[in-house]
Every structure is written in C-alpha cells, then in structure tokens.
Amino acid sequence: MITLVETDYKCEPVGMGVISVVNHPHEMYSVLGSCIGVAIMDPRAKLGAFAHVVLPQSNGRGGLPGKFADTAIPHMLELLKERGASRRGLVVKIAGGAQMFASSGPMQIGESNAAAVRHAVRGAGLAIHAEDVGGTEGRKVTVDCATAQLTICRVGQPEIVI
Amino acid sequence: MNHPAAAPATALSLQKLFGLATATASRAIECWTNGTVSLAMEDLHEAPLEEAVAQLGVSEERAVMILLGIDGELTGDFVLCFGERDGRLLCSAVIGMEPNEDEAWSELDKSALLETGNILGSAYLNELTALLQRQLVPTPPQFVLDFGSSVVEQVLLPHGMLSDSVFVARTAFRHGVDRRLDAQVLFVPGPALRDVMEVTIAGR
C-alpha cells in the first residue's frame, strides 16, 4: 500500500511496511522498535518520503515494497521523482533498529535492518546524512520535509533532532 | 524458509487451545485480584505481519509491559501490555490501595505487575505444556516502560523472518462487570514451538 497524502492530513502515521509521501506543511510519523524509519527528503521542494522498513531482504517474497530494505529505497526514489523531487540535494536520514531482546542471539534484526538500509541507500548512489540507530528502546520519529529534520522521542529521555 | 499460512483447521484448534488457556489465566487473575479483574478471548485469526500491531490494538503511546520468554529447545515470547492508567488500576486491585498517580513507577507497583505477568504467563504455559507434553521453561519476567507498539514490533520481527503472517488472539480484560481495560496479551511462539504446536494439533 502506498499512501499519497494531499491536503487532508496534518501528520500522517506510517505503519509497518508502508511508504508515505507528503508535501510541507504536512508531516509523517512512525513508532519504531527494531524496524527502521527511512526518510528521503527534498527540502527545496519541501517534499519527502518516509518508509517503515520491517525486514532486511525481500528474497523474492511478496508484500509491500516498503516492507523490505532492498525494495523500499528504489520505490521511494520512484515516488519522489513522480512528485517532482530533484535527485540532487536529496537528504537521507534514518532512525530505529532497537534491540531489546536476545542481545547475543543469532537474530539481531535491528542491526540487520540498519545494515541493509545503509547498503540499499549506497546502492542507489545516495549518502546517509544522519542516523539515530540501535539501543534498547523504541522511538517515535516525526519527519518535517521542509527542514529535512527528524524529531525523535524516547520514553524518559529528552527529544532529539537530527 | 518461509513458513506457509496455517490451514483453517489449525486456526480452529488454536482458537480452542487459547480459549482454554485464557479461561485458566482468567481464573488465576480473578483469584490474584480478589475477583476484580477477568479476561476472555474474543477471537483468533491469522493476519499479515505488518497489520498485526494495529489489529492487536496496542497503543502507540507509553505503555507498561511485562515480558516473559520461553527458554530452551522450544522458545517463544509472552507479553502483557497495559496502558499506563489501567496498569495502575490493576496494581491497585492487586495491592488493595488507591492507584499511584506519580509519574514514576514505584517498586511496589512494578512488583505487582511482574507477579501478574508471572501468574498469567504460567497459566498459558501450563495449558500448552499439557497439550504438547513438552517442557516449556519460562524466563524471569521483565518490566518495561516504552511505546507499546515499538516493543510488540520487536517481539514480532524475528517471526517475520520466517513467515508473512502471525496468529492474532484478541483478549479482553475487564475490571468489574463492564469496564474494559486497555490491556493486551501477546504470545509469539518461536519456529520450533510453532512447528510442535501445529504437528500436535494436526494429530488430534
């Protein structure tokens, strides 16, 4: 499912596997655990896409393009291009990838998700400008595509902006 | 490996199993809270992984959770999740005092919720042990204060590496006769436990 937000929403929740695209003044947010929130923004056009990436690799599995790191990034770039974003000047920021459980276990999904997103972003010829990844707590991440800033809240900690 | 969707007969058998387990858990929590809190399973169905958090009705806001793992050969996770206000209401029912309105959770409140998680988790695991005839070893309960959906997401994701869907069992907690509590129970079996459950259910 792809959500194109026009003028009806102020702050769009972005669920697991979903990619949303909004124009300023609208914003988007996700609550993230081990998933990664990927924001690709064109601050000059005041336009941005936000994906709530669930798993590292699609490996031929079906599902929403935003569910997997390897399918989300190309799809976000396509959506931004359709909406008139310029590839030059795109700002990429990521957050999430917490790991509350089984710190020594074989399935470090938060870390794997972050690594897969970094790989996919590099593969698309882009760089990550800022990230807030890892730790053991969840995050609420809000995207402002006009300033290309992510506001990140963790329970019991001061809000940070990257 | 991508775990295939379960057959409808499996869903029906799981519904029966979790109905029994929930009834056992309800008797345990009624006893623990002097009859003020009860629970009942409302429905069980298979849902796409990415829709499970929303279908469970887990809050995006701050929530208190008790996490209980299953260790050993057959692994899994059990989560008891309360909105903060109703978590405090449960504590007051257990402790027999007015709800604590401080922002911080006192050690007494934490302890009451940890013991509640222990009682509920053990009730569910006892039913599973009786069905599977296999030993299930619970870990000590852990108290967590975080965004509810972020913790549930972390519990579900390892399952998502193997399957595109999960079973969602909606459980209603009630305080007294008609007040519904903002609370959910989540049980996620690991791959080996899920296989044993499906084989056992198919052979019945």
Side-chain angles (χ1 to χ4, degrees):
Chain A
M1 180 176 56
I2 309 298
T3 311
L4 291 176
V5 180
E6 298 298 342
T7 53
D8 294 340
Y9 301 102
K10 185 70 182 167
C11 191
E12 172 78 3
V14 181
M16 289 171 79
V18 173
I19 298 172
S20 287
V21 180
V22 304
N23 283 93
H24 179 75
H26 305 303
E27 294 183 327
M28 304 167 275
Y29 79 92
S30 277
V31 177
L32 302 161
S34 302
C35 293
I36 300 279
V38 184
I40 305 182
M41 300 158 285
D42 179 351
R44 276 179 296 190
K46 298 185 176 181
L47 173 68
F50 191 43
H52 187 146
V53 173
V54 180
L55 294 168
Q57 301 291 335
S58 56
N59 291 328
R61 285 166 70 174
L64 306 172
K67 183 172 174 181
F68 306 101
D70 60 337
T71 51
I73 307 302
H75 208 83
M76 293 170 81
L77 291 172
E78 230 172 81
L79 289 170
L80 286 168
K81 188 177 168 189
E82 280 169 17
R83 300 285 291 262
S86 158
R87 197 176 166 89
R88 289 180 62 192
L90 286 179
V91 175
V92 184
K93 296 184 178 180
I94 68 173
Q99 197 73 46
M100 178 181 289
F101 306 102
S103 58
S104 58
M107 281 219 219
Q108 300 298 307
I109 294 186
E111 261 175 42
S112 301
N113 275 340
V117 165
R118 290 185 195 108
H119 181 76
V121 169
R122 268 199 311 273
L126 298 170
I128 292 177
H129 293 74
E131 63 175 64
D132 178 40
V133 168
T136 58
E137 293 142 336
R139 294 169 173 84
K140 182 173 184 178
V141 179
T142 305
V143 179
D144 179 342
C145 48
T147 59
Q149 286 182 330
L150 309 190
T151 302
I152 301 168
C153 299
R154 293 197 209 192
V155 168
Q157 294 188 26
E159 190 174 279
I160 65 164
V161 177
I162 64 171
Chain B
M1 181 189 78
N2 193 357
H3 208 296
T10 303
L12 276 175
S13 298
L14 278 176
Q15 190 158 4
K16 196 174 164 192
L17 166 67
F18 280 96
L20 285 172
T22 307
T24 304
S26 186
R27 283 192 295 276
I29 201 164
E30 283 176 56
C31 186
W32 175 237
T33 59
N34 300 314
T36 54
V37 176
S38 62
L39 59 154
M41 196 183 79
E42 294 192 313
D43 69 74
L44 182 143
H45 62 276
E46 199 162 16
L49 175 77
E50 52 273 26
E51 292 174 20
V53 173
Q55 289 194 15
L56 278 163
V58 176
S59 168
E60 289 185 333
E61 303 303 320
R62 275 165 56 125
V64 283
M65 285 153 282
I66 303 302
L67 315 178
L68 201 71
I70 305 172
D71 250 352
E73 190 189 343
L74 302 176
T75 60
D77 291 294
F78 177 86
V79 182
L80 178 61
C81 178
F82 284 97
E84 278 204 88
R85 189 162 162 263
D86 284 348
R88 291 183 192 281
L89 190 63
L90 177 71
C91 286
S92 75
V94 170
I95 300 165
M97 292 164 64
E98 286 298 304
N100 176 6
E101 299 297 337
D102 294 346
E103 179 150 346
W105 281 75
S106 71
E107 289 307 313
L108 185 62
D109 285 347
K110 285 183 189 175
S111 172
L113 278 189
L114 284 167
E115 195 48 40
T116 304
N118 235 348
I119 287 168
L120 282 182
S122 300
Y124 278 95
L125 293 188
N126 283 343
E127 286 294 335
L128 271 177
T129 300
L131 172 81
L132 306 176
Q133 297 294 303
R134 300 282 291 269
Q135 192 181 17
L136 299 174
V137 184
T139 63
Q142 182 187 349
F143 177 94
V144 173
L145 178 61
D146 204 335
F147 300 114
S149 56
S150 77
V151 174
V152 172
E153 185 183 88
Q154 290 181 71
V155 173
L156 289 176
L157 253 53
H159 191 78
M161 297 291 275
L162 304 169
S163 176
D164 291 323
S165 62
V166 290
F167 278 103
V168 171
R170 287 183 60 87
T171 305
F173 279 70
R174 288 202 159 72
H175 185 268
V177 180
D178 53 3
R179 174 140 167 15
R180 191 185 171 110
L181 294 179
D182 173 16
Q184 290 85 25
V185 173
L186 180 73
F187 171 65
V188 183
L193 178 53
R194 180 170 164 153
D195 285 346
V196 169
M197 285 170 66
E198 288 191 2
V199 167
T200 306
I201 284 166
R204 277 161 72 97

